[in-house]
Amino acid sequence: MEERIARFIAALRGAGVRISIAESQDAWQAIVCTGVMQQRVFYDVLRATLIKDSAAFATFDRLFSLYFGPDEPLIDPQADLTADERQLLQQALNELLQQLAQDLQRLLDWLLNGRPLTPQDLQRLSEQAGIEANESSSPYQVRRAARRLQQLLGWDQLQALLERLWEQLAEQGMSPQTIQHLQEQVARNQAALQQQLEQFAGQQTLEQRARMTRHPQAADLLQRPFSSLDSAAMRLLRDEVRRLANRLRSRAALRQKRGKQGRLDAKSTLRANLSYGGVPFEIRLKQRRRKPKLVVILDVSTSMRPVAEFFLRLLYELQDQVQKMRSFAFIDHLEDVTPHLTTLRVDEAVQAVLTTLPPGYYSTDLGYCLRQFEAKHLALIDSRTTFIILGDARNNFNDPALETFRNIGRRARKTIWMNPEYPAQWGTDDSDMLLYLPYCNEVHQVRNLEQLTIAIDRILL
Amino acid sequence: MFDTVQEVRRALAAQQYIATDEIATVIFLATRLGKPILAEGPAGVGKTELSKAWAAVTGHQLVRLQCYEGLDESKALYEWEYAKQMLYTQLLRDKLSALLADAQSLTEAADRLAAEEDVFFSERFLLPRPLLQAINSDTPTVLLIDEIDRADAEFEAFLLEVLSDFQVSIPELGTIVARHRPTVFLTSNNTRELSEALKRRCLYLYIGYPDIQEELEIVRLKVPDLAPQLARQAVEAVQALRQLDLKKNPSVSETLDWARALVALNATSLDQKTLETTLTILLKYETDMARARRAFKLGGGSDNGRTHR
């Protein structure tokens, strides 16, 4: 049991759930307190000590049933037979067995005597089957691995053999009812054995994966351009985003704390010093509202998607450092995506934003979108708002609506443009970047996560 | 003091708190391992109520710390009572001058004063805030740190020392170690991710919406005056509402409010009119109301709660 729990924890880690040593220690202690006899309590104990995020419950449940799921007991098909019938079966079996290869023989033996596979058997099988680490632990893959194990056991030949066994028994004079009874029970044993194999295969693939090192080089990834990321790297980066956000948050909070110089707050000072008999002992200053208000316009056309995704993720994690944020996405027209970001969890939110405007052969038209923004949402921009545009400024030779852009910029506290292209590419072809440039307070190049982090840090300033 | 999970469960039930197996197990573990419990879940499912019930079960005093943005040490841990210190200095002035009267040099006077310094920085002048109260209490306490996700990340870091060692450092006094380990409940509405370090120190308890049987049991227990048939209809209606993808789902406490309202209105069945007039107790957004009205009308008839499950 102990070994099984340890392997279960390793498998959870392999499936991407973060479990520290302290937590696994807690789990051990807790199990000592409650024992393992009650399945339900055992489940609750492991979950309360190991899993600290409700999003990981699904993974936990899946693995739990894999490792501690009910084992279907195999039935002994011979239990209900009379002594004569039993002898008949044994005789037929013996005749048949002589013709069989060793593995098949053992399989038939298991089924007809109702014995489950021993760990040694399974170990030997998995070595032969060569279950590999890179196989994912999806139900489909697990079934495939289990299927390979079955093939090794000679499952396919088995059906034919059983048919022959029944025929032989009938010839030797066993009654049809008994044969049918025997058939049913063997079929049930077959199912149980299959389940055992599946469980084993699932555990194997997971453990192999847990043994592999998980984080290649997060630092390298930070500097890889978004456009060159494959889906595995994207996944790693998504994990990295949270760490980055934490760093940004503490930086921003520190700045806020240190930057507490401002004008004297007479009211608050008086109140604070009442306890000193009105002698101004402690000076209170007016705290400047430092958290920024943001209005963000995101280009979510195909080329911009990864950048937009990570931008959203970072800002989502940093929501507590932002006073207010309104977000819009555009390709050929503008959509308000604020509701998604405020009501959903981060993964769903990002997904929802990106699917509001599905990618395709749209003609990006920032000019039109800016006008739309001016007509409907201009009131959002005031002297405390930072206006951010995330886009490559490739406008398909449409009207860039410079006057509108300038208008918006004049109302805002700051206008910041983030562009994933190299400065040398600005202004080439249909890029209007150089036209917009004079009206921006800051322009950042954001090709990779590191640059994006720096740019967002500037926003929080 | 509790030997099995079932005992915990029964004790909570005696305090009118219906605990699921999971809740009972986690509390049992917390008492055994001396670990804080981090309870997460939607608002109004009884996270805060749980700690109150537990305080009642154990007979310990409940110390509550409500978190908010900008909460800092001086609000959560302790503060020096300057005014009292000043007052004492004033009153003790004569004594002080007598003490210093025969000092030969300034250095000597300063030394003598320093020897008495402890008088002014003692627990006498310390204003304990909830955390210190819980740690310093003569009797065991239940400490409830409510809505920790509203506090800043720095405060979370500060809590770590308290939660892992049950001790706090006060520079002038030294380290104060808890006489009795308080049972700590942290609640979070999941508005932001808590730090890994904090989660690691806690047992995790997710309290979701109860299923229909559990909720019915809660309603029966808390609002015994409601007719059983009506209670069932009401709970079914609430459960149906939660399936509707609303802006804000009705919580358990709102179900109870509604049940009490139905009793007050002497309602006998959940007909169109009663539903119409009392829906505002459950739903707090106009758009949600409109959606619920549409959903309930679709089925027609008076037995609305049931037609939409």
Side-chain angles (χ1 to χ4, degrees):
Chain A
M1 195 65 191
E2 276 171 30
E3 192 200 329
R4 188 168 263 216
I5 295 171
R7 275 168 37 196
F8 173 62
I9 292 173
L12 274 175
R13 287 195 183 120
V17 182
R18 205 181 299 180
I19 297 173
S20 69
I21 307 230
E23 278 159 333
S24 61
Q25 221 168 22
D26 283 347
W28 288 113
Q29 275 179 9
I31 289 166
V32 171
C33 285
T34 57
V36 293
M37 293 318 288
Q38 283 166 285
Q39 176 88 354
R40 179 70 215 177
V41 172
F42 181 58
Y43 169 89
D44 286 336
V45 163
L46 281 187
R47 201 174 78 172
T49 47
L50 294 176
I51 306 293
K52 303 293 163 78
D53 185 353
S54 52
F57 280 176
T59 317
F60 180 85
D61 287 350
R62 193 162 54 77
L63 293 191
F64 187 86
S65 66
L66 213 52
Y67 276 79
F68 307 108
D71 288 324
E72 194 94 14
L74 291 184
I75 16 177
D76 183 3
Q78 299 180 27
D80 305 340
L81 298 186
T82 63
D84 279 353
E85 284 172 331
R86 207 171 291 180
Q87 208 187 343
L88 217 57
L89 175 68
Q90 203 53 50
Q91 209 181 329
L93 204 57
N94 282 341
E95 278 171 36
L96 206 58
L97 283 181
Q98 281 158 11
Q99 313 160 12
L100 288 183
Q102 203 192 2
D103 268 339
L104 215 48
Q105 182 181 347
R106 194 171 296 142
L107 182 60
L108 210 55
D109 201 32
W110 283 325
L111 286 179
L112 284 169
N113 292 313
R115 264 205 317 270
L117 293 149
T118 63
Q120 288 82 7
D121 289 332
L122 286 170
Q123 198 53 46
R124 193 177 51 82
L125 272 175
S126 83
E127 274 161 24
Q128 284 176 7
I131 293 174
E132 281 152 30
N134 55 8
E135 280 172 277
S136 77
S137 57
S138 73
Y140 169 71
Q141 293 284 8
V142 168
R143 224 166 292 141
R144 244 187 43 178
R147 181 88 194 107
R148 265 218 307 280
L149 290 179
Q150 286 180 8
Q151 275 170 357
L152 266 178
L153 280 171
W155 203 267
D156 297 331
Q157 292 103 301
L158 180 77
Q159 211 52 47
L161 262 175
L162 282 173
E163 290 300 327
R164 273 175 57 194
L165 180 66
W166 309 138
E167 277 171 27
Q168 213 159 349
L169 283 173
E171 274 171 27
Q172 287 173 356
M174 195 182 261
S175 73
Q177 288 93 339
T178 323
I179 292 183
Q180 203 188 344
H181 182 65
L182 215 55
Q183 273 173 339
E184 278 164 16
Q185 287 186 324
V186 167
R188 265 160 69 187
N189 275 356
Q190 244 174 319
L193 210 59
Q194 188 165 5
Q195 200 195 342
Q196 197 192 357
L197 286 176
E198 258 173 49
Q199 270 196 11
F200 177 74
Q203 288 175 16
Q204 282 291 314
T205 47
L206 274 171
E207 276 161 33
Q208 299 273 18
R209 247 165 32 120
R211 264 176 245 139
M212 294 205 318
T213 43
R214 269 182 59 248
H215 287 284
Q217 298 297 329
D220 281 357
L221 282 177
L222 286 184
Q223 283 149 17
R224 282 251 297 276
F226 288 122
S227 46
S228 75
L229 293 175
D230 53 13
S231 59
M234 290 278 272
R235 253 204 317 276
L236 277 179
L237 268 195
R238 276 178 207 138
D239 291 343
E240 197 60 19
V241 161
R242 256 178 64 192
R243 239 167 41 82
L244 281 177
N246 266 331
R247 213 161 64 201
L248 281 185
R249 177 182 297 124
S250 52
R251 277 247 295 273
L254 259 177
R255 261 201 308 259
Q256 208 175 350
K257 207 173 235 173
R258 291 199 187 126
K260 250 188 199 165
Q261 64 256 19
R263 280 186 301 159
L264 179 75
D265 185 346
K267 252 193 255 172
S268 166
T269 307
L270 272 180
R271 195 184 171 289
N273 290 295
L274 275 181
S275 48
Y276 315 125
V279 181
F281 208 64
E282 231 180 277
I283 304 296
R284 292 286 168 95
L285 301 171
K286 264 190 188 142
Q287 210 179 355
R288 266 192 238 137
R289 202 71 204 141
R290 288 193 152 242
K291 290 189 178 173
K293 276 160 89 175
L294 305 182
V295 170
V296 187
I297 294 191
L298 299 162
D299 183 348
V300 290
S301 58
T302 319
S303 58
M304 290 293 301
R305 282 195 167 226
V307 194
E309 181 191 332
F310 282 108
F311 179 83
L312 283 175
R313 274 175 189 277
L314 264 174
L315 270 190
Y316 189 97
E317 297 285 345
L318 287 171
Q319 260 176 4
D320 57 337
Q321 293 299 321
V322 175
Q323 198 187 3
K324 218 180 228 170
M325 174 162 133
R326 285 297 290 264
S327 341
F328 300 87
F330 78 94
I331 297 180
D332 58 341
H333 69 283
L334 202 65
E335 289 270 358
D336 187 354
V337 294
T338 317
H340 298 316
L341 290 171
T342 45
T343 51
L344 300 174
R345 290 189 78 106
V346 59
D347 288 319
E348 297 160 6
V350 170
Q351 211 48 47
V353 169
L354 293 185
T355 45
T356 325
L357 290 159
Y361 295 101
Y362 290 99
S363 42
T364 312
D365 189 350
L366 178 58
Y368 173 66
C369 296
L370 285 174
R371 290 220 180 84
Q372 254 189 314
F373 182 84
E374 190 186 32
K376 280 198 228 155
H377 305 292
L378 195 60
L380 292 177
I381 307 264
D382 59 27
S383 58
R384 285 184 299 170
T385 316
T386 307
F387 180 59
I388 300 163
I389 293 201
L390 184 72
D392 52 10
R394 298 212 168 262
N395 222 1
N396 289 311
F397 304 105
N398 287 317
D399 174 18
L402 281 183
E403 194 51 38
T404 310
F405 186 68
R406 206 176 131 201
N407 256 341
I408 299 173
R410 265 206 298 244
R411 287 176 64 110
R413 187 171 82 98
K414 238 201 245 177
T415 305
I416 298 178
W417 194 299
M418 299 189 187
N419 194 329
E421 291 190 342
Y422 286 115
Q425 292 171 299
W426 298 353
T428 58
D429 280 340
D430 60 343
S431 166
D432 289 331
M433 194 60 224
L434 293 181
L435 298 178
Y436 288 120
L437 195 61
Y439 305 116
C440 300
N441 298 83
E442 286 175 32
V443 178
H444 297 278
Q445 190 209 339
V446 289
R447 277 187 77 70
N448 54 38
L449 193 53
E450 193 172 42
Q451 288 174 333
L452 186 59
T453 315
I454 294 170
I456 288 186
D457 192 36
R458 291 280 307 162
I459 297 175
L460 297 179
L461 206 61
Chain B
M1 58 186 171
F2 290 96
D3 291 328
T4 64
V5 176
Q6 285 314 314
E7 277 177 42
V8 172
R9 197 183 163 140
R10 273 196 293 274
L12 280 172
Q15 296 300 327
Q16 302 220 321
Y17 190 93
I18 309 264
T20 57
D21 283 333
E22 195 192 342
I23 293 175
T25 310
V26 172
I27 291 203
F28 173 74
L29 279 183
T31 55
R32 279 302 168 92
L33 305 180
K35 290 220 148 217
I37 295 173
L38 170 63
E40 243 177 19
V45 289
K47 299 187 293 288
T48 308
E49 207 57 36
L50 175 63
S51 59
K52 287 184 190 163
W54 188 243
V57 165
T58 51
H60 296 165
Q61 188 201 346
L62 179 72
V63 180
R64 180 171 178 167
L65 173 65
Q66 172 70 48
C67 295
Y68 52 88
E69 206 179 317
L71 177 69
D72 58 9
E73 282 180 53
S74 70
K75 305 256 175 49
L77 190 57
Y78 69 93
E79 208 165 18
W80 287 108
E81 234 176 322
Y82 295 109
K84 203 168 160 193
Q85 281 170 332
M86 297 277 262
L87 194 64
Y88 271 58
T89 330
Q90 292 285 326
L91 292 175
L92 297 177
R93 191 189 279 161
D94 295 342
K95 195 83 189 147
L96 279 175
S97 27
L99 178 74
L100 302 178
D102 56 343
Q104 298 299 315
S105 67
L106 268 180
T107 324
E108 199 189 335
D111 283 347
R112 278 192 201 175
L113 197 59
E116 305 293 328
E117 212 169 46
D118 283 352
V119 175
F120 295 101
F121 288 103
S122 63
E123 286 194 35
R124 201 195 307 266
F125 299 104
L126 206 58
L127 202 61
R129 301 288 192 195
L131 284 181
L132 190 61
Q133 260 175 42
I135 280 183
N136 219 8
S137 163
D138 291 326
T139 54
T141 51
V142 172
L143 172 63
L144 166 64
I145 301 174
D146 216 0
E147 303 187 6
I148 174 73
D149 50 337
R150 287 195 189 195
D152 308 315
E154 302 96 271
F155 182 73
E156 230 180 281
F158 157 76
L159 264 186
L160 294 181
E161 185 190 357
V162 181
L163 292 185
S164 54
D165 303 332
F166 292 98
Q167 63 176 37
V168 290
S169 321
I170 299 174
E172 294 87 347
L173 292 181
T175 305
I176 297 183
V177 184
R179 286 172 220 183
H180 304 276
R181 277 197 161 207
T183 317
V184 185
F185 289 83
L186 295 115
T187 73
S188 156
N189 287 338
N190 227 340
T191 55
R192 74 178 170 86
E193 282 285 327
L194 301 174
S195 73
E196 291 288 331
L198 184 76
K199 284 181 173 177
R200 200 164 59 226
R201 282 167 175 78
C202 302
L203 296 173
Y204 184 78
L205 174 63
Y206 184 85
I207 307 184
Y209 291 117
D211 64 21
I212 194 157
Q213 279 310 324
E214 286 164 356
E215 191 160 18
L216 195 57
E217 217 178 317
I218 295 170
V219 170
R220 276 199 200 124
L221 193 69
K222 298 268 182 175
V223 194
D225 297 339
L226 192 64
Q229 182 59 28
L230 191 55
R232 176 149 205 106
Q233 280 181 11
V235 169
E236 278 173 358
V238 171
Q239 296 264 344
L241 280 176
R242 290 201 191 115
Q243 307 294 325
L244 279 185
D245 184 29
L246 300 173
K247 230 170 160 179
K248 186 194 160 302
N249 279 328
S251 68
V252 181
S253 55
E254 278 157 336
T255 312
L256 292 175
D257 286 345
W258 192 38
R260 287 190 192 108
L262 290 177
V263 172
L265 289 174
N266 269 330
T268 48
S269 76
L270 212 54
D271 54 36
Q272 201 82 24
K273 191 162 158 282
T274 326
L275 205 60
E276 190 78 30
T277 46
T278 54
L279 213 53
T280 41
I281 299 173
L282 289 174
L283 302 173
K284 307 291 157 77
Y285 285 97
E286 186 48 43
T287 47
D288 284 357
M289 294 277 288
R291 181 169 272 193
R293 273 197 207 109
R294 237 177 303 137
F296 280 146
K297 285 233 174 80
L298 274 173
S302 59
D303 198 8
N304 286 298
R306 201 174 289 167
T307 45
H308 277 281
R309 289 195 54 240

